[in-house]
Amino acid sequence: LCHFASRQLPGIIPIPFIGLNLPTSRMKLYQLSHLWLLALCHFARADDDLEGVVTCGSAVKLSHMEAKTQTGQEHFLSSEGKNLGSGSGQQIVTAVTSKTTTNTLWWIRGPNEDERHGNQAACTEGVAEPIQCGSIIRLTHLDSLRNLHSHDVRSPLSRQQEISAFGEGDGNGDNGDDWQVVCNGKYWERSTQVSFQHVDSGVFLGASSTVKFTHQNCGHNCPILNHLEVFGRKAKDTYGMWVVEMGVHISK
């Protein structure tokens, strides 16, 4: 069974069906059926011992803690169908204040290659498996089906490490999509702060309330005006802290 988070997402959220080669109309029917199942399961109770734990297959919105503290506004990890104008040219990842857009939903999956990570690989038991601290995951952008990614390229504003959304839109990517969940305790809990360390390079997923796209650094017709840059940061500090603010959570 599955249940919504205590703060339900606004609007309708489609859940992708990777691997189903279906016409568009039938795909939408499958997605809608899945949504109805999620809605019905909202009334089911999860295991009390695991209430509030983040699980495989869930779709979450991640809020940046430093930006919220400094500005009083939540900034959510986001991506959309725009490519970086420099660096890799891959799909852009930023942090935005809008709660209603589905651009800020990220689907939690196991790593690119389970066997590469041994017992640290998350989601080896499938959907609804609780995510343990220290495990390796992928975060797949739900709208585009590209994976949160990093590599040895400079970010456009702060000149730290670039963060992008990578892949062909089918959920597949490479080992640069793998992130380790850094948290305290046994499980990643929705109410607690968490960091994400890039497995290949060691940087932490970060942002800053002071590093944002403006007319001065992005141009007069900037399509991501006032978005925060998201970057890979060498240090584990307050700029790399996130919390699950809302989402569709799957439980057994």
Side-chain angles (χ1 to χ4, degrees), residues 86 156-158 210-220 222 224-227 229:
S86 61
L157 300 184
S158 65
T210 63
V211 183
K212 65 181 179 179
F213 292 92
T214 65
H215 289 307
Q216 287 72 32
N217 61 35
C218 185
H220 181 70
C222 180
I224 50 172
L225 187 65
N226 294 322
H227 292 206
E229 179 189 67

Side-chain angles (χ1 to χ4, degrees), residues 111-118 120-121 136 174-176 178 199-200:
N112 186 57
E113 297 176 354
D114 289 351
E115 61 276 9
R116 180 175 180 240
H117 303 292
Q120 284 186 301
I136 310 299
D174 63 21
N175 293 333
D178 293 343
V199 173
D200 276 2

Side-chain angles (χ1 to χ4, degrees), residues 70-125:
Q70 295 299 319
T71 69
Q73 286 186 298
E74 290 168 332
H75 288 73
F76 299 97
L77 186 69
S78 177
S79 188
E80 54 188 293
K82 298 180 176 70
N83 292 343
L84 289 158
S86 61
S88 69
Q90 293 174 5
Q91 185 168 301
I92 197 164
V93 173
T94 59
V96 301
T97 57
S98 175
K99 285 185 177 182
T100 57
T101 176
T102 56
N103 287 340
T104 53
L105 274 169
W106 297 86
W107 179 27
I108 302 170
R109 306 164 65 203
N112 186 57
E113 297 176 354
D114 289 351
E115 61 276 9
R116 180 175 180 240
H117 303 292
N119 59 12
Q120 284 186 301
C123 307
T124 56
E125 298 178 8

